[in-house]
Amino acid sequence: DAGVIQSPRHEVTEMGQEVTLRCKPISGHNSLFWYRQTMMRGLELLIYFNNNVPIDDSGMPEDRFSAKMPNASFSTLKIQPSEPRDSAVYFCASRDSFTDTQYFGPGTRLTVL
Amino acid sequence: EDKVVQSPLSLVVHEGDTVTLNCSYEVTNFRSLLWYKQEKKAPTFLFMLTSSGIEKKSGRLSSILDKKELFSILNITATQTGDSAIYLCAANAGGTSYGKLTFGQGTILTVHP
């Protein structure tokens, strides 16, 4: 199995630009999670989906952030417009419902100048 | 609000030492406690604990859960430089937050030769 796939692995953009992060969960996993990690705040849950339906988006910082999961094998996290304080590593994870364990993708390191 | 607290936040030891990492939690509808190891990339799964008093072991790493006192410990014996990493614990919730993980801040472990 390829594991959780994220793209891009690194993104450098300028303030005000739109950023789209992509995630492909492990096949057969029906829950998907988006996290953000910074030195100051640690690992924070932004939003998660069960069976492609958003369940809890209370961690989404503000309206500039949006996430979609159009099908079981793809999700996007969009930031529009981006700001320097959005600079962080963004992880996607999918959950194996049989073992109840989340597996993380390699992350996208976002830098907003 | 669900909360997970880890201690110490950082730890510096020498190879061969034994370390104990602590994790306390307050989570509604608690289901399980997970430990992850994070090197310079994504968190990788170590253990899941669901029952009190039953030790999980993998090589030099072991972990145990106390559901009465709401804490878990991760022990690493005969530490090696390769054990240097951030160790994260996470509480797994049930109910309306089924499958949602709340992470602690992490313990940064540095093992010197």
Side-chain angles (χ1 to χ4, degrees):
Chain A
D1 198 325
V4 177
I5 298 172
Q6 290 187 247
S7 65
R9 296 291 303 277
H10 301 273
E11 176 82 26
V12 179
T13 191
E14 292 189 346
M15 183 173 64
Q17 296 298 306
E18 178 180 296
V19 174
T20 299
L21 311 182
R22 297 172 177 79
C23 175
K24 177 178 168 51
I26 294 172
S27 177
H29 289 191
N30 60 1
S31 298
L32 182 141
F33 303 79
W34 282 102
Y35 293 91
R36 178 172 68 176
Q37 188 175 41
T38 61
M39 288 293 293
M40 290 295 293
R41 300 175 67 91
L43 195 60
E44 303 173 277
L45 176 66
L46 300 176
I47 185 171
Y48 76 99
F49 297 83
N50 281 344
N51 296 313
N52 313 337
V53 176
I55 301 301
D56 184 347
D57 65 354
S58 59
M60 296 285 259
E62 47 199 275
D63 292 346
R64 298 184 297 107
F65 285 69
S66 62
K68 292 182 180 179
M69 191 164 186
N71 57 63
S73 59
F74 183 66
S75 177
T76 59
L77 177 68
K78 187 175 291 188
I79 309 172
Q80 166 63 19
S82 58
E83 296 182 3
R85 59 192 167 121
D86 302 330
S87 297
V89 180
Y90 290 80
F91 288 106
C92 174
S94 66
R95 177 176 158 269
D96 182 336
S97 58
F98 291 104
T99 63
D100 203 13
T101 302
Q102 289 186 27
Y103 295 91
F104 283 76
T108 295
R109 182 173 294 276
L110 173 65
T111 303
V112 183
L113 302 175
Chain B
E1 185 178 329
D2 294 343
K3 190 173 162 185
V4 175
V5 177
Q6 292 185 244
S7 65
L9 294 182
S10 66
L11 192 54
V12 180
V13 300
H14 288 94
E15 273 191 323
D17 289 349
T18 293
V19 298
T20 298
L21 310 183
N22 304 294
C23 174
S24 64
Y25 62 90
E26 292 176 30
V27 172
T28 305
N29 295 316
F30 173 82
R31 291 172 49 239
S32 60
L33 194 290
L34 290 82
W35 285 95
Y36 287 83
K37 177 182 181 182
Q38 185 176 22
E39 295 170 272
K40 292 187 185 298
K41 44 190 179 181
T44 54
F45 173 73
L46 292 175
F47 296 114
M48 173 186 280
L49 303 154
T50 54
S51 301
S52 273
I54 298 175
E55 185 183 57
K56 289 256 178 127
K57 200 169 169 65
S58 175
R60 297 176 293 102
L61 277 66
S62 63
S63 185
I64 199 160
L65 176 67
D66 185 327
K67 291 169 76 172
K68 183 178 175 187
E69 300 297 330
L70 308 183
F71 78 89
S72 174
I73 60 172
L74 175 69
N75 282 316
I76 308 174
T77 59
T79 52
Q80 302 171 357
T81 55
D83 296 326
S84 296
I86 301 172
Y87 289 85
L88 297 161
C89 75
N92 196 355
T96 55
S97 298
Y98 192 91
K100 176 179 176 180
L101 292 181
T102 301
F103 279 87
Q105 325 92 296
T107 293
I108 302 172
L109 175 64
T110 304
V111 182
H112 288 309

